[in-house]
Amino acid sequence: MAGITAYYNTRNWYYLYVTADDHGQAVLRAASCDQGVLSVDEAGQEPLGAITRLRLGLDIDGADLRFRYDLGRGWRPFGPPLDATVLSDEHAEHIEDGRIRSLGFTGAFVGQWAWDLTGGSHHADFDEAKYHTLP
């Protein structure tokens, strides 16, 4: 699996990635983890067919995070808007029985993520990465 992530820590993140479905066909999927609860949207996947190159992006506007992708025909949204507050210090803080068990302090970041679940030392190729803020 390879794609882009909006990441706070191992318990709070969003991931838009290319993987193979049960038939070995390339698909684009999204996954998230909110306070350690993993969610993978297999129903919302986008079949990629013979596409070997694509662009992935994400936009954060206030409390909304939105993934997007381009298969060579222009940017299209992927999935619904997501709750960007999952990536905040306050959300990552874990309190149990009135006591702080872990603090949120790392801060969120955006990046590329390759995850070889096979252990076969497979790699992912990224041509470029761009980051910019809007005025």
Side-chain angles (χ1 to χ4, degrees), residues 90-114:
E90 294 78 12
H91 186 82
E93 200 171 69
H94 180 75
I95 300 174
E96 187 177 296
D97 297 327
R99 301 179 76 179
I100 295 175
R101 297 295 179 195
S102 64
L103 291 172
F105 65 90
T106 60
F109 59 94
V110 173
Q112 300 166 328
W113 188 354

Side-chain angles (χ1 to χ4, degrees), residues 15-75:
Y15 186 26
L16 178 64
Y17 60 97
V18 175
T19 190
D21 65 13
D22 292 339
H23 306 287
Q25 302 300 308
V27 295
L28 186 61
R29 281 192 189 144
S32 65
C33 193
D34 183 351
Q35 295 189 342
V37 178
L38 176 66
S39 176
V40 178
D41 182 10
E42 293 184 25
Q45 68 188 12
E46 175 73 25
L48 296 177
I51 296 291
T52 58
R53 296 175 99 64
L54 71 154
R55 295 188 307 162
L56 303 176
L58 68 87
D59 300 299
I60 298 175
D61 184 8
D64 290 333
L65 181 148
R66 178 144 226 167
F67 282 123
R68 57 189 164 90
Y69 69 103
D70 178 10
L71 302 177
R73 299 181 298 267
W75 288 106

